[in-house]
Amino acid sequence: MKRILITAELPGEGFRNIVSGGKFEFKVLSNEERLSIKKAVTDFRPHGMVTLLSDTVNSELIDSGPELEAVSNYAAGYNNIDILHCREKGIAVTNTPDVLTDATADIAMMLILMASRRASESERFTRAGLFKGWKPDLFLGKSLSGKTLGILGLGRIGVATAFRAKAFGMDIIYWSDRKAPENIENSTNARFCGFDELIKSSDVISLHLPYVPALHHLIGKKELSEMKKDAVIVNTARGQLIDEDALADALTEKRVFAAGFDVYEREPLINEKLYGLENAVLLPHIGSATEETRAEMAVMALSDCMAVLNGKKPLNRVN
Ligand code: DGY
């Protein structure tokens, strides 16, 4: 019987049904066992693995599982996996796109609203018992209607974010590796533009690109200095796309208005400076964190892993 190693317990009834079925031998790592995934791979010798975005699936880990045929990442992003090494060894890598599009776009829109309207800051103020009455200038934020949203990466989540922003009356421009099909541009009202134009003319910038080394610090000191002084930046993609230290400095010096983070450059470590900044909204990477979405992701990741082990084509192979 083929063996599947799952590096953490995943949510949902679908997941529990699959792992209690008898078609494969499953091993779900406990929190303690997670501390050494390599040892678990060496001991269990899995044919398939279901991994988290926080697991580093490098060549060393891959080579410790000589029978590996599939690595299914429980995430849309897969920059935690050495997919080239997997490809060289004939190991299929899969991810979980689509099912998390709306949940992640919701969080992007929520961060846009929270950062623009100073939601975290005013909530902290209220909880501290400081609300002593309505005032004309209490926590003035930025309107969204009529402002320009610059979307970096008009893939599935970028498109879903564009739809949400359109409903808030925003004008949308985007920069991507290629121009989107006309029907997407027409339905979202998104206009393709150059990277520099997007940086200089957006009131809000939202990142929706996958992380690849060529995009490391796509937003750095230079880009931050070129943005509008009142710009809002939101990142629900991957932390390494932004120079976090440079953004923390820009927020401290009020060279940008606010930023919303769901992801961090050295996750789970967060740049110490951000903790003290009222104009930074800090979420713990919850883009896809709804009960429904995480349950669907679990079934999708496992189904693709089992498909490969059964000699079938998985739905979401990325290498
Ligand atoms: C993913 O799945 O890659 C996202 O980061 C979820 O938030």
Side-chain angles (χ1 to χ4, degrees), residues 1 59 187 292:
M1 194 182 279
S59 55
S187 55
E292 298 87 344

Side-chain angles (χ1 to χ4, degrees), residues 227-241:
M227 283 176 195
K228 287 187 172 179
K229 189 168 179 299
D230 281 349
V232 168
I233 304 153
V234 161
N235 191 4
T236 52
R238 284 293 179 269
Q240 301 95 316
L241 293 167

Side-chain angles (χ1 to χ4, degrees), residues 11-244:
E13 212 183 315
F15 171 77
R16 286 188 290 277
N17 288 343
I18 295 174
V19 296
S20 58
K23 298 205 178 106
F24 294 88
E25 187 185 342
F26 292 100
K27 178 166 179 60
V28 181
L29 297 188
S30 64
N31 286 341
E32 208 187 319
E33 288 168 321
R34 272 187 61 70
L35 298 175
S36 180
I37 297 177
K38 188 172 170 228
K39 180 177 175 335
V41 172
T42 311
D43 293 348
F44 188 62
R45 296 175 70 87
H47 299 86
M49 266 177 87
V50 176
T51 52
L52 307 188
L53 57 81
S54 47
D55 299 333
T56 302
V57 187
N58 54 19
S59 55
E60 194 189 333
L61 182 68
I62 294 159
D63 292 345
S64 62
E67 269 128 316
L68 269 181
E69 296 169 40
V71 176
S72 294
N73 214 31
Y74 182 64
Y78 45 86
N79 55 299
N80 56 310
I81 300 176
D82 186 340
I83 57 165
L84 289 180
H85 192 68
C86 285
R87 191 194 295 160
E88 277 162 20
K89 299 195 77 173
I91 298 168
V93 178
T94 70
N95 69 341
T96 60
D98 294 323
V99 288
L100 48 65
T101 298
D102 283 326
T104 310
D106 286 348
I107 289 288
M109 197 63 222
M110 187 177 90
L111 280 175
I112 291 171
L113 285 159
M114 287 179 78
S116 302
R117 298 298 300 272
R118 304 173 62 184
S120 302
E121 191 185 350
S122 45
E123 215 240 4
R124 280 191 289 273
F125 171 89
T126 311
R127 281 179 191 271
L130 298 171
F131 179 42
K132 303 293 179 208
W134 189 89
K135 277 193 195 165
D137 61 350
L138 190 61
F139 288 110
L140 299 188
K142 301 284 174 195
S143 296
L144 293 182
S145 179
K147 298 283 175 61
T148 299
L149 169 66
I151 295 187
L152 290 170
L154 200 70
R156 284 171 275 222
I157 300 171
V159 168
T161 305
F163 277 124
R164 284 155 176 74
K166 185 183 162 196
F168 280 85
M170 300 191 81
D171 298 324
I172 296 149
I173 55 177
Y174 75 97
W175 174 80
S176 237
D177 56 349
R178 69 182 85 97
K179 208 167 164 332
E182 218 165 286
N183 64 324
I184 297 286
E185 288 193 336
N186 292 341
S187 55
T188 55
N189 286 349
R191 178 176 66 79
F192 188 54
C193 70
F195 180 74
D196 289 348
E197 182 190 342
L198 185 142
I199 294 294
K200 288 177 187 154
S201 57
S202 298
D203 297 293
V204 179
I205 295 178
S206 189
L207 284 90
H208 300 284
L209 293 158
Y211 176 75
V212 288
L215 295 180
H216 189 76
H217 286 183
L218 179 70
I219 306 255
K221 219 173 177 169
K222 174 177 169 291
E223 291 71 27
L224 288 162
S225 71
E226 289 169 354
M227 283 176 195
K228 287 187 172 179
K229 189 168 179 299
D230 281 349
V232 168
I233 304 153
V234 161
N235 191 4
T236 52
R238 284 293 179 269
Q240 301 95 316
L241 293 167
I242 298 183
D243 180 342
E244 198 168 288

Side-chain angles (χ1 to χ4, degrees), residues 111 115 231-234 247 251 256-261 279-282:
L111 280 175
V232 168
I233 304 153
V234 161
L247 178 52
L251 288 163
V256 290
F257 183 72
F261 298 77
N279 54 354
V281 181
L282 309 178

